[in-house]
Amino acid sequence: MTKAAGYRSDFSSIATEYATYRTSYGAALFDTIASYVGPTFTVGQKPRPLRALDLGCGTGLSAAGLTERGFAVTGVDIAAEMLAQARQSVTGDCAFYEARAEALPFADGAFELVTCAQAFHWFDPEQSFGEVARVLRPGGAMALFWKHSSHDDPIEKCAIDLLREISGRDEPFSLSRAQTDQFGAFWAERSAFRDHEEWRLPLTLSFTVDSFVGYHSSREDARFHLGDRRAEFLSRLRNKVAELARGDAFAVDAMQYLYLARKR
């Protein structure tokens, strides 16, 4: 459940690629989260927005989906350049701060919702779950989610095979996919939470050759494992995808993995 020993992430170095090429999640995922959280809370006689904390917020993709549904969002990340991109791109009731999921600088019970999109695999799970439970109000909700392209898709398979060839690594290459594959049993053991739900929500991702190669240029695990051969990977991937796509635009099937629970 934890990242490989000695793995030193550097998301600041790929912030521009991340902001340009990463895609958000489907409307159904954010609607499912909003429905699970429930109606707006009130202070006295006045309704107020639900307060959401987005862990590992990156460039603000999930923060945008939450603000569109009326949440007041606080995003945290360890990469200053990612946060700078989020502040430029996300409008609405949101704020972004530099902080670690294992040591959150917020008061107990400060939020009605804590989310984490495609990032929980970078955290210490025990410390992070403890901090999430601390900053959630009683009955508040936690939503952890990932999305992964189908291995059966020929263009995605091409990218995976090329990653394996150049890196010399066997599958699972992706830290996030490895955690998602084994997360169900681990998730259910968290004693601070109840009413666990797991959702699988299909999604179709639209790409051009440029945006598909750009997405892979934004992968931190690829940056780390490929090292000096990253440019070679991206160049060869472009040639292979252009040949397979037989045109500029194509779609890749994906699955969104959503885990929901409430603080006891």
Side-chain angles (χ1 to χ4, degrees), residues 54-99:
D54 188 30
L55 305 178
C57 65
T59 59
L61 288 173
S62 57
L66 294 169
T67 57
E68 289 170 1
R69 284 154 182 82
F71 289 91
V73 180
T74 299
V76 296
D77 204 286
I78 61 170
E81 287 78 1
M82 288 281 194
L83 294 169
Q85 295 282 352
R87 292 184 184 108
Q88 290 179 12
S89 62
V90 184
T91 59
D93 192 355
C94 55
F96 298 97
Y97 303 97
E98 192 168 338

Side-chain angles (χ1 to χ4, degrees), residues 93-124:
D93 192 355
C94 55
F96 298 97
Y97 303 97
E98 192 168 338
R100 297 172 57 245
E102 298 88 347
L104 296 170
F106 305 109
D108 296 358
F111 299 96
E112 282 79 47
L113 171 67
V114 175
T115 63
C116 183
Q118 208 86 11
F120 195 82
H121 49 282
W122 295 109
F123 308 152
D124 179 282

Side-chain angles (χ1 to χ4, degrees), residues 1-4 102 116-126 128-129 144-146 148 172-187 198 200 221 257 259:
M1 294 295 295
T2 56
K3 56 184 177 288
E102 298 88 347
C116 183
Q118 208 86 11
F120 195 82
H121 49 282
W122 295 109
F123 308 152
D124 179 282
E126 296 295 345
S128 299
F129 271 123
L144 312 182
F145 48 101
W146 293 262
H148 298 300
F173 187 92
S174 167
L175 292 173
S176 62
R177 192 184 294 268
Q179 186 176 70
T180 306
D181 289 344
Q182 61 178 304
F183 199 60
F186 179 86
W187 168 253
E198 297 184 20
R200 302 293 182 268
D221 51 2
Y257 300 82
Y259 299 88

Side-chain angles (χ1 to χ4, degrees), residues 25-238:
Y25 300 80
L29 182 141
F30 292 114
D31 290 343
T32 300
I33 294 172
S35 178
Y36 183 85
V37 174
T40 302
F41 288 84
T42 60
V43 178
Q45 299 299 315
K46 295 182 180 180
R48 64 163 174 79
L50 294 168
R51 298 166 299 190
L53 174 64
D54 188 30
L55 305 178
C57 65
T59 59
L61 288 173
S62 57
L66 294 169
T67 57
E68 289 170 1
R69 284 154 182 82
F71 289 91
V73 180
T74 299
V76 296
D77 204 286
I78 61 170
E81 287 78 1
M82 288 281 194
L83 294 169
Q85 295 282 352
R87 292 184 184 108
Q88 290 179 12
S89 62
V90 184
T91 59
D93 192 355
C94 55
F96 298 97
Y97 303 97
E98 192 168 338
R100 297 172 57 245
E102 298 88 347
L104 296 170
F106 305 109
D108 296 358
F111 299 96
E112 282 79 47
L113 171 67
V114 175
T115 63
C116 183
Q118 208 86 11
F120 195 82
H121 49 282
W122 295 109
F123 308 152
D124 179 282
E126 296 295 345
Q127 292 181 30
S128 299
F129 271 123
E131 279 293 87
V132 170
R134 182 183 65 79
V135 301
L136 273 175
R137 69 183 298 276
M142 172 170 59
L144 312 182
F145 48 101
W146 293 262
K147 70 174 182 289
H148 298 300
S149 300
S150 170
H151 278 175
D152 295 332
D153 183 274
I155 293 181
E156 178 66 12
K157 184 178 185 300
C158 165
I160 293 170
D161 290 345
L162 189 58
L163 282 166
R164 294 181 65 186
E165 174 191 338
I166 295 177
S167 70
R169 282 177 57 89
D170 291 329
E171 292 240 66
F173 187 92
S174 167
L175 292 173
S176 62
R177 192 184 294 268
Q179 186 176 70
T180 306
D181 289 344
Q182 61 178 304
F183 199 60
F186 179 86
W187 168 253
E189 297 171 357
R190 303 304 95 194
S191 60
F193 298 93
R194 59 177 174 81
D195 299 340
H196 295 76
E197 293 186 9
E198 297 184 20
W199 291 76
R200 302 293 182 268
L201 302 166
L203 182 68
T204 299
L205 302 174
S206 298
F207 289 105
T208 63
V209 173
D210 284 344
S211 66
F212 188 80
V213 175
Y215 161 73
H216 282 279
S217 75
S218 77
R219 292 185 57 178
E220 168 59 10
D221 51 2
R223 182 202 66 81
F224 177 83
H225 289 298
L226 293 173
D228 293 340
R229 301 190 69 184
R230 178 171 173 266
E232 175 193 346
F233 163 70
L234 295 174
S235 176
R236 290 176 60 184
L237 180 64
R238 178 178 296 278

